[in-house]
């Protein structure tokens, strides 16, 4: 048959929504005068038994709409704040079997050639798609596709209900403008995962990616502070979204991996530093980023409350429980701790899916999608002044740590975190050994201050737990005494290293 290949760069935003919100989305006045096209799509995704394509970020599928078959290869690019940008090759095929003529001369040909004989169906997606087209005031066109169905791999399956906003023409900013409008009206949640990624996880029997730590910021040594700020925001946002799906999928009453929340909280803190002192020193996108700081702070506090209960449950409560000889009371308190932890987790999960958080993510994605202008490069002088200020605050407090109040120690902990994150963001400018001493010191300081903060938080949590028990005063006295009997972490820290940022 005649093979006509379409080669495009796919640019789209992907958002999920609960099925019971579909009717309101379909009835949105935004497309009251547009006609919807309905298709029933059956998709077969291929890979080798060793997942060679998934490991290289390539998706290969066959799609049927009941009349025709299309073969599609996608790869390259990436996803950020729900924005997926990938190279796509698509062409018609005779039926449900892979063909190779349409890939000839494309970047996918050499990538797929070694695996031709090993490829086999890995998973399927089946869904109904409703397609509408929205034209912006400037004439740009966006395809709105509502997909409802499921993903299947062997005997496993999971539901699929999402909206894809694909840019057909016009600037990418219009994609974000439409998404922001829809998020204000409907319970849409950005999703960084493609159908191929979700299907691959399902086929493995591990639908959740493991918790992910922050990756190094990819900023070349010779870049000015604007490029460093951009790279830091990108890295922190990627860290957030690498852990979000795993945390949101944590079941109540089942196995709970608290590391997802831990990493999410760290990501939000890193994002606050990247959008605040770093972007401020670089004079980069302050008109967009400065107004987001309050939202980031509020989100961090809600995640922090849940994380504090996780720490109490996992690290403090077991030792306290051992000292309770009344089994009934011990069980009652255990249930109270579990209830507080579960409630805080639900509130944190809700915070991530709230409209304000989706607005925050879209604004960050919109900011990153815009190229930087040719303005004057910002030197590192302002940033080094920030580093000096933070280091001075730590140096002044070191000789009298034992005399500081818990609130002052907590502020010092925050100072150490800011200095650590800034150091990690700009480490690419220096030889590794130049920053190693500082990072080692800051990590130790975070641990020391963190242990003291955990002790203060534990005292507050004991008060909360005892308030609902019989003889709360007596019980609280007993638990607080047991807490005091545990070894108090020391406040010994070595002297600060010499500033790596000063010649």
């Amino acid at each position: 048959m005649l093979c006509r290949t379409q080669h495009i760069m796919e640019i789209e935003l992907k958002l999920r929504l609960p099925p019971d919100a579909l009717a309101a989305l379909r009835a949105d006045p935004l497309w009251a005068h547009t006609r919807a096209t309905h298709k029933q799509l059956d998709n077969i995704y291929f890979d080798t038994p060793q997942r060679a394509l998934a490991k290289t970020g390539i998706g290969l599928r066959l799609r049927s709409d009941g009349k025709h078959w299309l073969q599609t290869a996608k790869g390259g690019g990436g996803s950020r704040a729900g924005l997926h940008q990938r190279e796509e090759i698509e062409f018609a095929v005779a039926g449900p079997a892979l063909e190779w003529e349409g890939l000839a001369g494309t970047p996918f040909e050499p990538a797929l050639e070694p695996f031709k004989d090993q490829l086999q169906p890995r998973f399927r997606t089946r869904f109904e798609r409703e397609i509408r087209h929205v034209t912006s005031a400037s004439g740009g066109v966006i395809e709105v596709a509502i997909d409802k169905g499921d993903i299947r791999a062997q005997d496993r399956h999971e539901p699929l209900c999402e909206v894809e906003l694909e840019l057909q023409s016009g600037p990418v900013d219009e994609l974000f403008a439409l998404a922001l409008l829809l998020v204000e009206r409907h319970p849409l949640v950005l999703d960084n995962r493609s159908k191929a990624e979700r299907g691959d996880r399902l086929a493995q029997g591990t639908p959740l990616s493991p918790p992910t730590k922050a990756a190094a910021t990819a900023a070349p040594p010779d870049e000015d502070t604007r490029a460093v700020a951009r790279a830091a925001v990108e890295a922190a946002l990627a860290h957030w979204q690498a852990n979000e799906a795993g945390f949101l999928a944590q079941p109540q009453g089942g196995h709970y991996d608290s590391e997802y929340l831990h990493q999410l909280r760290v990501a939000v803190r890193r994002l606050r530093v990247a959008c605040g002192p770093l972007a401020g020193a670089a004079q980069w996108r302050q008109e967009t980023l400065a107004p987001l700081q309050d939202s980031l702070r509020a989100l961090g506090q809600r995640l922090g409350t849940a994380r504090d209960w996780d720490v109490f449950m996992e690290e403090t409560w077991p030792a306290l429980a051992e000292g309770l000889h009344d089994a009934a009371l011990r069980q009652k308190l255990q249930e109270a701790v579990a209830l507080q932890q579960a409630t805080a987790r639900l509130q944190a999960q809700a915070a991530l899916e709230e409209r304000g958080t989706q607005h925050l993510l879209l604004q960050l994605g919109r900011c990153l999608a815009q190229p930087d202008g040719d303005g004057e490069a910002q030197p590192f002088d302002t940033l080094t002044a920030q580093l000096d200020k933070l280091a001075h605050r730590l140096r002044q407090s070191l000789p009298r740590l034992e005399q500081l109040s818990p609130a002052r120690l907590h502020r010092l902990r925050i100072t150490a975190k800011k200095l650590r994150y800034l150091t990690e963001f700009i480490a690419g400018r220096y030889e590794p050994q130049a920053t190693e001493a500082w990072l080692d010191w800051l990590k130790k300081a975070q641990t020391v201050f963190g242990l003291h903060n955990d002790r203060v938080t534990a005292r507050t949590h004991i008060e909360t737990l005892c308030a609902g028990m019989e003889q709360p005063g007596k019980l609280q006295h007993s638990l607080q005494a047991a807490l005091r009997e545990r070894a108090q972490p020391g406040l010994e820290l070595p002297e600060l290293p010499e500033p790596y940022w000063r010649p």
Side-chain angles (χ1 to χ4, degrees), residues 228-271:
V228 174
R230 171 185 281 277
V233 172
E234 285 183 345
L237 188 55
H239 185 203
W240 171 341
Q241 295 190 300
N243 292 284
E244 182 182 55
F247 176 61
L248 291 175
Q250 297 286 291
Q252 294 292 336
H255 171 71
Y256 172 54
D257 188 343
S258 63
E259 186 63 15
Y260 286 109
L261 175 59
H262 180 206
Q263 292 302 323
L264 263 171
R265 189 187 186 195
V266 172
V268 171
R269 283 173 168 165
R270 290 172 66 88
L271 195 53

Side-chain angles (χ1 to χ4, degrees), residues 374-395:
D374 297 326
E376 183 178 351
Q378 296 299 317
F380 275 79
D381 294 352
T382 306
L383 184 55
T384 53
Q386 289 256 18
L387 298 172
D388 283 336
K389 181 179 178 181
L390 294 169
H392 178 70
R393 194 176 301 162
L394 290 170
R395 187 172 281 109

